[in-house]
Amino acid sequence: FGDIALAIGDNFIKYLEVVAPPLQAAAQMSVELAKQADNDEDQIEFINSLRQSILEAWSGMFNGLSKENSDLYLRQISPMLLDYIETIAADPNENLSVMSRAADAIGDIASNIHGVGTLFLQKPYVTGFLEKCKSKPGPDEKASWALKMVQKSLSVVEKSN
């Protein structure tokens, strides 16, 4: 879905109501599967592949739509996506590709959704997760960028208080 959104830009808006529910269902399924994985390497590999696909799809949509339309149409998805990433951050079966995609998605939320700093205040795991990603080869660059975007959105909240 993300590749299509990147290719057709704001014309993807009409597909969001069709695409979002299956992506949300897939995210929930991956959370449930992760709870049952019990160190089964094949299951963990499948879950990580599913996670990557889900995160790539959302990132493609955030980047395919204009900033205005990302803010308008994907704002309501942001809390769910951050909750999903929180389950990934808590999973002991770390995967660098998934961590990289998760850092990317956090950065996409921070850079595309206006006034999202208050949401990040409600998700204290975000900064720690991005710091952890920064220390890993692979997700380090995306995590550095995402952390800057999150800090920028948090500074807007601090200035308004």
Side-chain angles (χ1 to χ4, degrees), residues 21-41:
L23 278 175
Q24 290 171 313
Q28 186 57 42
M29 183 178 81
S30 75
V31 170
E32 295 304 317
L33 288 173
K35 291 177 185 175
Q36 303 165 13
D38 293 331
N39 296 323
D40 179 333
E41 288 185 32

mmCIF file of all heavy atoms in Angstrom, residues 21-41:
data_model
loop_
_atom_site.group_PDB
_atom_site.id
_atom_site.type_symbol
_atom_site.label_atom_id
_atom_site.label_comp_id
_atom_site.label_asym_id
_atom_site.label_seq_id
_atom_site.Cartn_x
_atom_site.Cartn_y
_atom_site.Cartn_z
ATOM 1 N N PRO A 21 -8.231 -0.411 7.658
ATOM 2 C CA PRO A 21 -8.693 -1.517 8.504
ATOM 3 C C PRO A 21 -7.880 -2.811 8.366
ATOM 4 O O PRO A 21 -7.524 -3.415 9.385
ATOM 5 C CB PRO A 21 -10.156 -1.708 8.083
ATOM 6 C CG PRO A 21 -10.582 -0.357 7.593
ATOM 7 C CD PRO A 21 -9.356 0.183 6.894
ATOM 8 N N PRO A 22 -7.530 -3.255 7.145
ATOM 9 C CA PRO A 22 -6.703 -4.466 7.074
ATOM 10 C C PRO A 22 -5.310 -4.283 7.685
ATOM 11 O O PRO A 22 -4.771 -5.220 8.294
ATOM 12 C CB PRO A 22 -6.597 -4.764 5.577
ATOM 13 C CG PRO A 22 -7.671 -4.003 4.923
ATOM 14 C CD PRO A 22 -7.996 -2.852 5.815
ATOM 15 N N LEU A 23 -4.743 -3.081 7.550
ATOM 16 C CA LEU A 23 -3.434 -2.841 8.171
ATOM 17 C C LEU A 23 -3.540 -2.861 9.695
ATOM 18 O O LEU A 23 -2.663 -3.395 10.379
ATOM 19 C CB LEU A 23 -2.855 -1.505 7.713
ATOM 20 C CG LEU A 23 -2.160 -1.512 6.370
ATOM 21 C CD1 LEU A 23 -1.742 -0.098 5.979
ATOM 22 C CD2 LEU A 23 -0.954 -2.422 6.377
ATOM 23 N N GLN A 24 -4.612 -2.285 10.217
ATOM 24 C CA GLN A 24 -4.824 -2.323 11.667
ATOM 25 C C GLN A 24 -5.051 -3.761 12.140
ATOM 26 O O GLN A 24 -4.539 -4.155 13.189
ATOM 27 C CB GLN A 24 -5.996 -1.425 12.049
ATOM 28 C CG GLN A 24 -5.669 0.050 11.874
ATOM 29 C CD GLN A 24 -6.886 0.944 12.032
ATOM 30 O OE1 GLN A 24 -7.939 0.679 11.468
ATOM 31 N NE2 GLN A 24 -6.719 2.021 12.791
ATOM 32 N N ALA A 25 -5.793 -4.527 11.370
ATOM 33 C CA ALA A 25 -6.030 -5.933 11.728
ATOM 34 C C ALA A 25 -4.729 -6.731 11.672
ATOM 35 O O ALA A 25 -4.472 -7.575 12.542
ATOM 36 C CB ALA A 25 -7.079 -6.545 10.806
ATOM 37 N N ALA A 26 -3.900 -6.466 10.660
ATOM 38 C CA ALA A 26 -2.616 -7.161 10.554
ATOM 39 C C ALA A 26 -1.713 -6.803 11.732
ATOM 40 O O ALA A 26 -1.014 -7.666 12.271
ATOM 41 C CB ALA A 26 -1.944 -6.813 9.228
ATOM 42 N N ALA A 27 -1.741 -5.535 12.141
ATOM 43 C CA ALA A 27 -0.943 -5.113 13.291
ATOM 44 C C ALA A 27 -1.406 -5.847 14.551
ATOM 45 O O ALA A 27 -0.585 -6.372 15.318
ATOM 46 C CB ALA A 27 -1.045 -3.600 13.486
ATOM 47 N N GLN A 28 -2.700 -5.916 14.749
ATOM 48 C CA GLN A 28 -3.234 -6.623 15.921
ATOM 49 C C GLN A 28 -2.880 -8.106 15.871
ATOM 50 O O GLN A 28 -2.523 -8.704 16.884
ATOM 51 C CB GLN A 28 -4.752 -6.432 16.020
ATOM 52 C CG GLN A 28 -5.357 -7.012 17.276
ATOM 53 C CD GLN A 28 -4.736 -6.450 18.552
ATOM 54 O OE1 GLN A 28 -4.478 -5.267 18.674
ATOM 55 N NE2 GLN A 28 -4.483 -7.320 19.520
ATOM 56 N N MET A 29 -2.959 -8.687 14.679
ATOM 57 C CA MET A 29 -2.609 -10.095 14.535
ATOM 58 C C MET A 29 -1.137 -10.320 14.880
ATOM 59 O O MET A 29 -0.799 -11.286 15.577
ATOM 60 C CB MET A 29 -2.879 -10.578 13.111
ATOM 61 C CG MET A 29 -2.588 -12.060 12.932
ATOM 62 S SD MET A 29 -2.939 -12.661 11.277
ATOM 63 C CE MET A 29 -1.466 -12.125 10.428
ATOM 64 N N SER A 30 -0.256 -9.418 14.442
ATOM 65 C CA SER A 30 1.162 -9.601 14.748
ATOM 66 C C SER A 30 1.428 -9.479 16.246
ATOM 67 O O SER A 30 2.295 -10.164 16.786
ATOM 68 C CB SER A 30 2.027 -8.623 13.952
ATOM 69 O OG SER A 30 1.961 -7.326 14.466
ATOM 70 N N VAL A 31 0.663 -8.623 16.926
ATOM 71 C CA VAL A 31 0.801 -8.500 18.384
ATOM 72 C C VAL A 31 0.398 -9.808 19.053
ATOM 73 O O VAL A 31 1.099 -10.317 19.941
ATOM 74 C CB VAL A 31 -0.049 -7.317 18.922
ATOM 75 C CG1 VAL A 31 -0.115 -7.333 20.439
ATOM 76 C CG2 VAL A 31 0.508 -5.989 18.422
ATOM 77 N N GLU A 32 -0.734 -10.359 18.628
ATOM 78 C CA GLU A 32 -1.210 -11.627 19.209
ATOM 79 C C GLU A 32 -0.254 -12.770 18.896
ATOM 80 O O GLU A 32 0.027 -13.605 19.766
ATOM 81 C CB GLU A 32 -2.624 -11.939 18.705
ATOM 82 C CG GLU A 32 -3.678 -10.949 19.157
ATOM 83 C CD GLU A 32 -3.748 -10.787 20.672
ATOM 84 O OE1 GLU A 32 -3.679 -11.804 21.393
ATOM 85 O OE2 GLU A 32 -3.872 -9.638 21.129
ATOM 86 N N LEU A 33 0.250 -12.825 17.678
ATOM 87 C CA LEU A 33 1.186 -13.884 17.308
ATOM 88 C C LEU A 33 2.477 -13.783 18.113
ATOM 89 O O LEU A 33 3.046 -14.806 18.509
ATOM 90 C CB LEU A 33 1.495 -13.828 15.815
ATOM 91 C CG LEU A 33 0.397 -14.266 14.869
ATOM 92 C CD1 LEU A 33 0.788 -13.987 13.420
ATOM 93 C CD2 LEU A 33 0.065 -15.742 15.062
ATOM 94 N N ALA A 34 2.943 -12.561 18.359
ATOM 95 C CA ALA A 34 4.172 -12.369 19.125
ATOM 96 C C ALA A 34 4.030 -12.896 20.548
ATOM 97 O O ALA A 34 4.985 -13.416 21.125
ATOM 98 C CB ALA A 34 4.566 -10.891 19.132
ATOM 99 N N LYS A 35 2.837 -12.777 21.105
ATOM 100 C CA LYS A 35 2.588 -13.288 22.457
ATOM 101 C C LYS A 35 2.705 -14.805 22.514
ATOM 102 O O LYS A 35 2.984 -15.378 23.555
ATOM 103 C CB LYS A 35 1.200 -12.868 22.938
ATOM 104 C CG LYS A 35 1.046 -11.387 23.201
ATOM 105 C CD LYS A 35 -0.378 -11.065 23.594
ATOM 106 C CE LYS A 35 -0.602 -9.580 23.747
ATOM 107 N NZ LYS A 35 -2.014 -9.253 24.003
ATOM 108 N N GLN A 36 2.465 -15.450 21.375
ATOM 109 C CA GLN A 36 2.447 -16.917 21.327
ATOM 110 C C GLN A 36 3.697 -17.517 20.681
ATOM 111 O O GLN A 36 3.778 -18.726 20.531
ATOM 112 C CB GLN A 36 1.222 -17.383 20.528
ATOM 113 C CG GLN A 36 -0.086 -16.879 21.056
ATOM 114 C CD GLN A 36 -1.212 -17.061 20.049
ATOM 115 O OE1 GLN A 36 -1.076 -17.772 19.066
ATOM 116 N NE2 GLN A 36 -2.342 -16.407 20.299
ATOM 117 N N ALA A 37 4.651 -16.701 20.289
ATOM 118 C CA ALA A 37 5.788 -17.167 19.489
ATOM 119 C C ALA A 37 6.679 -18.176 20.213
ATOM 120 O O ALA A 37 7.217 -19.083 19.592
ATOM 121 C CB ALA A 37 6.615 -15.983 19.009
ATOM 122 N N ASP A 38 6.871 -18.032 21.513
ATOM 123 C CA ASP A 38 7.657 -18.987 22.313
ATOM 124 C C ASP A 38 8.975 -19.404 21.663
ATOM 125 O O ASP A 38 9.273 -20.589 21.526
ATOM 126 C CB ASP A 38 6.830 -20.240 22.626
ATOM 127 C CG ASP A 38 5.671 -19.952 23.556
ATOM 128 O OD1 ASP A 38 5.789 -19.013 24.366
ATOM 129 O OD2 ASP A 38 4.657 -20.661 23.458
ATOM 130 N N ASN A 39 9.755 -18.439 21.240
ATOM 131 C CA ASN A 39 11.074 -18.680 20.656
ATOM 132 C C ASN A 39 11.060 -19.573 19.420
ATOM 133 O O ASN A 39 12.066 -20.177 19.073
ATOM 134 C CB ASN A 39 12.036 -19.242 21.711
ATOM 135 C CG ASN A 39 12.295 -18.252 22.824
ATOM 136 O OD1 ASN A 39 12.376 -17.051 22.587
ATOM 137 N ND2 ASN A 39 12.406 -18.750 24.038
ATOM 138 N N ASP A 40 9.930 -19.693 18.760
ATOM 139 C CA ASP A 40 9.835 -20.418 17.495
ATOM 140 C C ASP A 40 10.419 -19.516 16.406
ATOM 141 O O ASP A 40 9.818 -18.508 16.039
ATOM 142 C CB ASP A 40 8.364 -20.758 17.205
ATOM 143 C CG ASP A 40 8.164 -21.489 15.900
ATOM 144 O OD1 ASP A 40 8.990 -21.325 14.973
ATOM 145 O OD2 ASP A 40 7.171 -22.230 15.789
ATOM 146 N N GLU A 41 11.598 -19.867 15.908
ATOM 147 C CA GLU A 41 12.315 -19.002 14.971
ATOM 148 C C GLU A 41 11.515 -18.704 13.703
ATOM 149 O O GLU A 41 11.549 -17.580 13.197
ATOM 150 C CB GLU A 41 13.672 -19.608 14.629
ATOM 151 C CG GLU A 41 14.645 -19.523 15.794
ATOM 152 C CD GLU A 41 16.030 -20.020 15.425
ATOM 153 O OE1 GLU A 41 16.445 -19.869 14.258
ATOM 154 O OE2 GLU A 41 16.701 -20.541 16.322
#
